[in-house]
Amino acid sequence: MLTRIPIAQGFYPNVGGVCRVAAQRHLENGTRICKQADVRKDKIVAGIAPHAGWIYSGDTAGAVFSCISQLSRPDTFVLLGSAHVAGVHKPAIMKEGLWEIPLGDVEIDSDLAADILESMPDIVVENSEWHLSEHSMEVEVPFIKYLYPEAR
């Protein structure tokens, strides 16, 4: 099984306890932002969060995940991220494996990944290699792990 190790050095704390405290702080600050925002009061099915280092955008990302957590309890997240890696020409899925982060491993929903690949073969490709050096989604995963420990 492929394990994707953290590469976003300096984007968020890389030690479990420190990462947990930082995630909690950004989520608490985000809760205040979420309460002030004009958030729909029904089930949330999508959100857009920044992927910069937490020092710059942690509270904003925390607000997105805080709003989601107030209205929804997803067991799977579909992350769409930008590509900072040369040679990436199509949306790529890491079809199976784990993402290692300081708060613990997050399993990929391999059934959903297979369904996406099967239903959109001309649009999406399976390429785990592209994910091994791309940070844009990694900085979101600790918020997911903190709020939804079993989520994929």
Side-chain angles (χ1 to χ4, degrees):
M1 178 178 291
L2 181 63
T3 300
R4 185 201 175 280
I5 60 170
I7 60 156
Q9 298 302 315
F11 277 63
Y12 62 95
N14 64 357
V15 176
V18 178
C19 187
R20 179 170 300 287
V21 169
Q24 181 178 7
R25 186 183 77 243
H26 289 304
L27 288 163
E28 287 171 356
N29 291 341
T31 297
R32 286 192 284 282
I33 295 168
C34 184
K35 286 180 180 176
Q36 295 169 358
D38 183 20
V39 178
R40 293 177 59 195
K41 300 301 180 201
D42 53 354
K43 186 175 182 180
I44 293 178
V45 297
I48 299 174
H51 74 272
W54 285 7
I55 192 170
Y56 304 108
S57 66
D59 287 355
T60 303
V64 171
F65 289 101
S66 176
C67 289
I68 291 170
S69 72
Q70 291 177 31
L71 297 171
S72 189
R73 299 300 306 167
D75 55 8
T76 295
F77 284 78
V78 176
L79 300 177
L80 306 174
S82 57
H84 299 92
V85 180
V88 176
H89 306 293
K90 283 184 143 185
I93 286 183
M94 188 171 169
K95 188 170 131 181
E96 58 189 9
L98 301 170
W99 280 41
E100 182 183 286
I101 60 163
L103 301 182
D105 294 341
V106 177
E107 180 185 350
I108 291 172
D109 187 334
S110 56
D111 292 334
L112 178 58
D115 288 347
I116 291 170
L117 287 167
E118 184 179 323
S119 65
M120 294 187 266
D122 296 333
I123 299 171
V124 180
V125 297
E126 193 281 321
N127 192 322
S128 298
E129 295 296 317
W130 289 347
H131 289 277
L132 299 181
S133 57
E134 175 54 55
H135 71 273
S136 68
M137 294 178 288
E138 177 184 331
V139 297
E140 310 303 341
V141 178
F143 291 114
I144 295 168
K145 183 68 175 179
Y146 182 91
L147 290 167
Y148 309 96
E150 302 303 316
R152 298 181 288 161

